[in-house]
């Protein structure tokens, strides 16, 4: 991909890092918000966040393609 194309759109290293930071915040911040002991999320619930983020990433990938 040419530099001009990369500047107009696409996922760079910063975008990937930002996505991973948001995913980690979504998973870890709720654990520290309760006043008492917190139960860990169920195993199936742990798969909901990455699947949701992957679906958003896939949608953005398809929406950014030009014909």
């Amino acid at each position: 991909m040419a530099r001009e194309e990369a500047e107009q759109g696409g996922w760079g290293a910063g975008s990937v890092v930002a996505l991973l930071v948001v995913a980690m915040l979504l998973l870890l911040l709720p654990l520290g918000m309760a006043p008492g002991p917190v139960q860990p999320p169920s195993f199936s619930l742990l798969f909901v966040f990455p699947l949701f983020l992957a679906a958003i990433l896939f949608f953005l990938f398809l929406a950014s393609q030009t014909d």
Side-chain angles (χ1 to χ4, degrees), residues 2-54:
R3 182 176 174 94
E4 293 82 23
E5 293 175 12
E7 289 176 358
Q8 292 178 358
W11 280 80
S15 299
V16 173
V17 169
L19 180 73
L20 292 175
V21 167
V22 169
M24 293 299 292
L25 289 175
L26 283 173
L27 289 173
L28 297 177
L29 279 180
L31 294 176
M33 286 196 245
V38 178
Q39 299 275 336
S42 65
F43 190 67
S44 61
L45 186 61
L46 287 176
F47 285 113
V48 170
F49 292 111
L51 289 176
F52 181 69
L53 291 174

